[in-house]
Amino acid sequence: MPFAHITGWGMYVPEPVLTNDDIAKLVDTNDAWIRDRTGIRERHIARENDFPSTLAVEASIKALQVANLAPTELDLIICSTSSPEYIFPATACIIQDQIGATKAGAFDLLAACSGFIFATNMAAQAIRSGSIKNALVIGTETLSRFVDWKDRNTCILFGDGAGAFVLQASDKPGGVLSAVMHSDGSGANSLTLLGGGARHPATELTLHEGKHFVQMDGKEVFRFATRVMGRAAIEALELAGMTTNDVQWIIPHQANFRIIETAAKYLKMPLEKFIINVENYGNTSTASIPIATVEGVEKEKLKVGDKVVFVGFGAGLTWGAMVVEWTGPLPATKNVHPEQYRRFARFRSWIRRTLRFIEGIFFRREL
Ligand code: UT7
């Protein structure tokens, strides 16, 4: 059975930074309160021309560069997002077209902030089963588009960004060692975005009622998060036949510093073993774990051979954890330049649309 290794990683955040002081100009809040209750100092916010797909393309190209893998060699793309570009088509398909991953099947996965763990697990299982060799997993969000900038309960929390992993099959032991995924829909009302779906299609009334904004019972989500984070990490470790003593790094979902602190206490692990960057990015939902991972690598914390636990929670309710042996890129057999494929993407896309148009003319004639 092949092993599923994380061989590439990349992140991208839009340039504009929104500080706590900036938010204090919009709602009745202040920097001290936000820092004290959440640990957040600033977050990046999408510009007019930033979308989940454009952020994801930047992160994906970087991940493919690290893995030294051409987009055409990808078999599968899973995009985890709670702020998709459209209800359909899937954001994953837009990314697939823009990076030139012409062979890959692509779909979106929605498990909110736990989504990146769920998606990575799905890709790893597909590799472990032998049905595919190379996968791209993306977490991307522009939740700022769905935040009510008059609601101080939510607008202080979220930031935009994307992160991506390349997963590849190899006979060498390591990579994804175990994973657990959990859901409890009885808590669905705690964190929602109700408008625009089949139950509440967009109408003047849904707009008026603010149904197109994120709504959250912060205290309820906080309680749930502190209850499940530590437990999920232990569960995944047990599945891998390991304990917290075997672990070099915990990379948690970056929602709130106090939640991470509680998980550390539960696990009886020092905070130094946690990679934490919520201060600079806020809660980027499903993108937070890969963004923290990339920073962990860039700051030379994460090293080859390290055992890492990813752990997250989110709307749904969902939560999960994954144990990984960090192995880095596979030995290169050739030099590829993934960014070149993107350069031709528009042209290729145009050719494909034109061919479909011509095919349509002939098809109609045959009828
Ligand atoms: O990815 C998952 C996404 N969601 C989360 O992870 C959210 C989890 N929950 C949390 O992080 C916290 O519950 C919050 C940060 C959202 C809120 O912190 P809290 O300590 O639970 O505050 P609270 O809601 O209990 O509010 C305490 C007080 C209240 O005032 P009173 O009633 O005590 O007078 C609030 O009205 O703080 C007030 N408050 C604020 N004050 C200044 C609430 N939001 C703010 C604010 N600025 N932004």
Side-chain angles (χ1 to χ4, degrees):
M1 205 197 260
F3 292 87
H5 291 269
I6 296 167
T7 61
W9 46 86
M11 64 162 274
Y12 181 79
V13 289
E15 239 167 68
V17 169
L18 194 71
T19 65
N20 292 345
D21 287 334
D22 295 331
I23 294 184
K25 290 177 193 144
L26 307 174
V27 288
D28 180 16
T29 190
N30 57 72
D31 176 55
W33 192 96
I34 301 174
R35 279 198 203 205
D36 183 52
R37 301 290 176 118
T38 68
I40 300 168
R41 197 162 49 90
E42 57 189 30
R43 67 290 286 145
H44 292 253
I45 300 291
R47 293 157 294 201
E48 212 180 317
N49 291 333
D50 290 319
F51 305 105
S53 67
T54 59
L55 306 187
V57 165
E58 298 299 330
S60 302
I61 294 292
K62 288 180 189 171
L64 287 160
Q65 274 165 348
V66 173
N68 195 39
L69 189 76
T72 46
E73 291 177 84
L74 287 170
D75 305 303
L76 173 70
I77 298 175
I78 309 179
C79 174
S80 162
T81 182
S82 302
S83 48
E85 212 123 316
Y86 315 105
I87 287 188
F88 63 82
T91 304
C93 294
I94 300 167
I95 300 164
Q96 176 265 330
D97 182 50
Q98 288 181 3
I99 64 173
T102 44
K103 242 179 57 193
F107 65 90
D108 285 1
L109 178 150
L110 202 168
C113 308
S114 318
F116 195 78
I117 292 176
F118 282 33
T120 305
N121 187 33
M122 291 294 96
Q125 294 306 322
I127 288 173
R128 298 277 282 154
S129 75
S131 71
I132 64 161
K133 281 198 164 64
N134 303 317
L136 175 68
V137 179
I138 303 151
T140 185
E141 302 286 10
T142 55
L143 274 171
S144 63
R145 300 265 157 79
F146 301 97
V147 160
D148 180 356
W149 291 100
K150 293 191 192 84
D151 176 9
R152 68 176 183 176
N153 285 311
T154 51
C155 76
I156 58 161
L157 295 177
F158 297 102
D160 299 332
F165 283 172
V166 170
L167 278 88
Q168 289 185 269
S170 162
D171 294 332
K172 190 177 147 205
V176 177
L177 303 180
S178 72
V180 292
M181 304 189 293
H182 292 294
S183 305
D184 177 6
S186 72
N189 288 340
S190 323
L191 185 48
T192 57
L193 200 168
L194 300 172
R199 188 176 286 222
H200 300 292
T203 62
E204 264 180 51
L205 186 63
T206 61
L207 280 177
H208 178 71
E209 290 174 342
K211 281 201 161 63
H212 301 271
F213 292 133
V214 172
Q215 289 169 7
M216 180 180 73
D217 180 341
K219 270 202 177 317
E220 180 68 34
V221 177
F222 193 96
R223 266 200 305 275
F224 147 71
T226 50
R227 206 172 49 237
V228 299
M229 284 263 278
R231 254 195 264 157
I234 295 285
E235 214 186 319
L237 280 168
E238 281 175 359
L239 212 58
M242 290 160 64
T243 72
T244 50
N245 294 331
D246 302 309
V247 171
Q248 279 71 45
W249 295 106
I250 305 271
I251 305 186
H253 167 45
Q254 314 279 320
N256 183 320
F257 182 75
R258 289 189 296 142
I259 294 175
I260 298 173
E261 230 175 6
T262 316
K265 275 190 197 136
Y266 181 94
L267 293 167
K268 298 190 182 67
M269 288 177 78
L271 269 174
E272 291 70 48
K273 284 201 161 194
F274 285 66
I275 295 182
I276 305 171
N277 63 6
V278 67
E279 189 183 4
N280 302 324
Y281 298 100
N283 179 350
T284 56
S285 185
T286 188
S288 85
I289 287 179
I291 288 176
T293 306
V294 172
E295 285 210 345
V297 178
E298 284 173 356
K299 290 185 175 159
E300 296 181 0
K301 292 181 174 180
L302 216 56
K303 302 209 171 59
V304 171
D306 282 355
K307 310 289 188 308
V308 189
V309 178
F310 300 120
V311 56
F313 64 91
L317 298 167
T318 56
W319 66 103
M322 168 174 281
V323 181
V324 168
E325 181 177 336
W326 194 255
T327 40
L330 300 177
T333 49
K334 56 184 180 242
N335 246 340
V336 297
H337 300 282
E339 69 284 359
Q340 286 180 352
Y341 292 79
R342 176 172 52 167
R343 257 179 240 149
F344 297 112
R346 259 204 203 154
F347 180 60
R348 191 178 40 244
S349 203
W350 178 81
I351 296 268
R352 282 183 178 234
R353 276 197 300 271
T354 309
L355 286 176
R356 251 195 312 279
F357 176 73
I358 295 168
E359 192 184 48
I361 295 172
F362 283 110
F363 188 67
R364 270 195 293 276
R365 273 206 196 140
E366 275 170 32
L367 291 178

